[in-house]
């Protein structure tokens, strides 16, 4: 049983320098952010599901985007809020692996859905005659489910390999569990080579997702340059997607750099903010961006609010 960890709990030290008064303030702000995130995502999901006018591929993908946001934030906020109120910040071994599985699956699925959104916009603008035959609602739902399950499986392989490592330290210098933080606790670094190989393969897979999105938008921009109608369609439906993509890339890259090359010269507060970005900003901002930018969604929200306050 040499390859089985004897550690039963991990100690999270991301809040060790945060005073009790600061934690109370952070708890209030975080709770508000989580409530707003739940509200905007659930509202958009219900609008899309309950209104037949939104049963189109683009809106189905937006619904999948919001569902994935709820999945990812559920893996972060409840434990984080509990830690802000608790004097001891611990998480069980299995709970830590599960949290890493959820957070990584959320991030990978987000990029997969963004890639599928880019392909949807490419077909709608560059191949309009083929669009409805290729991107039916049923096919989009199947593709979204397949991509989510694929992301969950790929991340699961990484987490399984991590679970086989013998760990010698129970201290994680973060607010929450991520795979690389657990791997770094291994007693024998030479045993983590397979983890590094699979992690790099995973990174390459999702970098190709990014290249696919860039390729799609190269064709879209070229097509829109010569058509006023396509330019209007691009502004209306592609700009929110590009904003979401930019937000995702910036937050993920800053977290990845901080995770792999974290500097002891950075304050705990700054490191925590960097680590939380991809779990806080995209799930909160994306529904607001799409809600205000997509005319049909914005109109339906305005109609609903006006009806409630009559």
């Amino acid at each position: 049983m040499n390859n089985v960890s004897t550690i039963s709990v991990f100690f999270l030290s991301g809040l060790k320098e945060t005073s009790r008064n600061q934690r109370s303030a952070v708890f209030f702000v975080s709770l508000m952010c989580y409530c707003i995130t739940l509200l905007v995502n659930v509202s958009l999901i219900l609008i899309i599901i309950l209104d037949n006018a939104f049963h189109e591929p683009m809106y189905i993908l937006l619904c999948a985007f919001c569902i994935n946001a709820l999945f990812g934030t559920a893996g972060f906020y409840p434990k984080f809020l509990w830690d802000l109120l608790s004097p001891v910040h611990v998480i069980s071994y299995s709970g830590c692996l599960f949290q890493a599985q959820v957070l990584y699956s959320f991030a990978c699925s987000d990029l997969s859905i963004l890639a599928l959104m880019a392909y949807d916009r490419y077909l709608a603008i560059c191949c309009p005659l083929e669009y409805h035959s290729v991107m039916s609602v049923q096919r989009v739902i199947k593709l979204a489910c397949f991509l989510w399950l694929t992301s969950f499986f790929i991340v699961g392989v990484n987490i399984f390999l991590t679970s086989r490592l013998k760990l010698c330290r129970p201290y994680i210098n973060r607010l929450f569990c991520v795979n690389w933080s657990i791997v770094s606790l291994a007693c024998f670094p030479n045993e983590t080579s397979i983890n590094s190989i699979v992690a790099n393969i995973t990174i390459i897979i999702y970098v190709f997702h990014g290249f696919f999105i860039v390729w799609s938008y190269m064709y879209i921009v070229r097509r829109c340059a010569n058509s006023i109608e396509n330019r209007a369609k691009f502004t209306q439906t592609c700009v929110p997607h590009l904003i979401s993509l930019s937000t995702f890339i910036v937050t993920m890259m800053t977290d990845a750099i901080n995770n792999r090359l974290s500097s002891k010269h950075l304050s705990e507060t700054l490191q925590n903010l960097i680590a939380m970005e991809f779990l806080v900003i995209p799930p909160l901002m994306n529904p607001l961006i799409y809600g205000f930018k997509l005319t049909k969604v914005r109109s339906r929200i305005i109609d609903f609010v006006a009806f409630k306050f009559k």
Side-chain angles (χ1 to χ4, degrees), residues 123-168:
L123 288 175
I125 294 175
C126 299
C127 309
L129 297 179
E130 302 173 18
Y131 178 75
H132 291 290
S133 62
V134 177
M135 297 295 283
S136 63
V137 171
Q138 292 77 12
R139 183 169 295 173
V140 166
I141 293 174
K142 290 178 182 178
L143 283 172
C145 291
F146 172 76
L147 290 173
W148 189 87
L149 290 172
T150 301
S151 297
F152 196 85
F153 173 76
I154 291 173
V155 173
V157 172
N158 284 269
I159 300 301
F160 171 74
L161 292 172
T162 299
S163 70
R164 297 173 67 250
L165 297 173
K166 181 175 177 60
L167 307 180
C168 288

Side-chain angles (χ1 to χ4, degrees), residues 76-88:
F76 167 68
Y77 273 109
K79 178 67 174 81
F80 177 59
L81 291 170
W82 175 262
D83 283 345
L84 288 170
L85 298 178
S86 174
V88 181

Side-chain angles (χ1 to χ4, degrees), residues 3-15 79 82-83 86-101 159 161-187:
N3 64 337
V4 179
S5 172
T6 56
I7 291 175
S8 59
V9 296
F10 289 106
F11 296 89
L12 304 173
S13 57
L15 291 171
K79 178 67 174 81
W82 175 262
D83 283 345
S86 174
V88 181
H89 311 128
V90 297
I91 185 170
S92 68
Y93 177 80
S94 57
C96 191
L97 293 177
F98 180 73
Q99 186 179 53
Q101 171 75 36
I159 300 301
L161 292 172
T162 299
S163 70
R164 297 173 67 250
L165 297 173
K166 181 175 177 60
L167 307 180
C168 288
R169 289 171 292 142
Y171 300 99
I172 296 178
N173 190 30
R174 288 180 70 97
L175 289 170
F176 50 86
C177 295
V178 293
N179 190 48
W180 196 252
S181 294
I182 304 171
V183 172
S184 66
L185 303 176
C187 297

Side-chain angles (χ1 to χ4, degrees), residues 158-283:
N158 284 269
I159 300 301
F160 171 74
L161 292 172
T162 299
S163 70
R164 297 173 67 250
L165 297 173
K166 181 175 177 60
L167 307 180
C168 288
R169 289 171 292 142
Y171 300 99
I172 296 178
N173 190 30
R174 288 180 70 97
L175 289 170
F176 50 86
C177 295
V178 293
N179 190 48
W180 196 252
S181 294
I182 304 171
V183 172
S184 66
L185 303 176
C187 297
F188 308 105
N190 59 310
E191 292 184 354
T192 66
S193 56
I194 185 64
N195 296 76
S196 298
I197 292 170
V198 174
N200 288 331
I201 292 172
T202 302
I203 291 170
I204 291 170
I205 290 171
Y206 288 97
V207 166
F208 274 112
H209 281 57
F211 283 138
F212 175 79
I213 295 171
V214 172
W215 174 84
S216 299
Y217 272 95
M218 285 174 59
Y219 279 90
I220 292 172
V221 171
R222 186 185 303 173
R223 185 64 177 266
C224 291
N226 300 318
S227 169
I228 296 176
E229 181 183 350
N230 283 339
R231 282 202 294 270
K233 189 183 293 186
F234 178 87
T235 302
Q236 182 64 34
T237 62
C238 295
V239 169
H241 179 247
L242 287 175
I243 295 173
S244 297
L245 177 63
S246 301
T247 303
F248 176 83
I249 290 175
V250 170
T251 55
M252 285 303 299
M253 284 188 66
T254 53
D255 180 63
I257 293 171
N258 179 61
N259 193 27
R260 293 296 183 99
L261 305 172
S262 58
S263 173
K264 294 181 179 179
H265 300 293
L266 295 178
S267 66
E268 180 191 88
T269 302
L270 182 57
Q271 290 197 46
N272 288 342
L273 289 174
I274 293 173
M276 292 168 56
E277 279 181 332
F278 83 101
L279 294 165
V280 174
I281 298 175

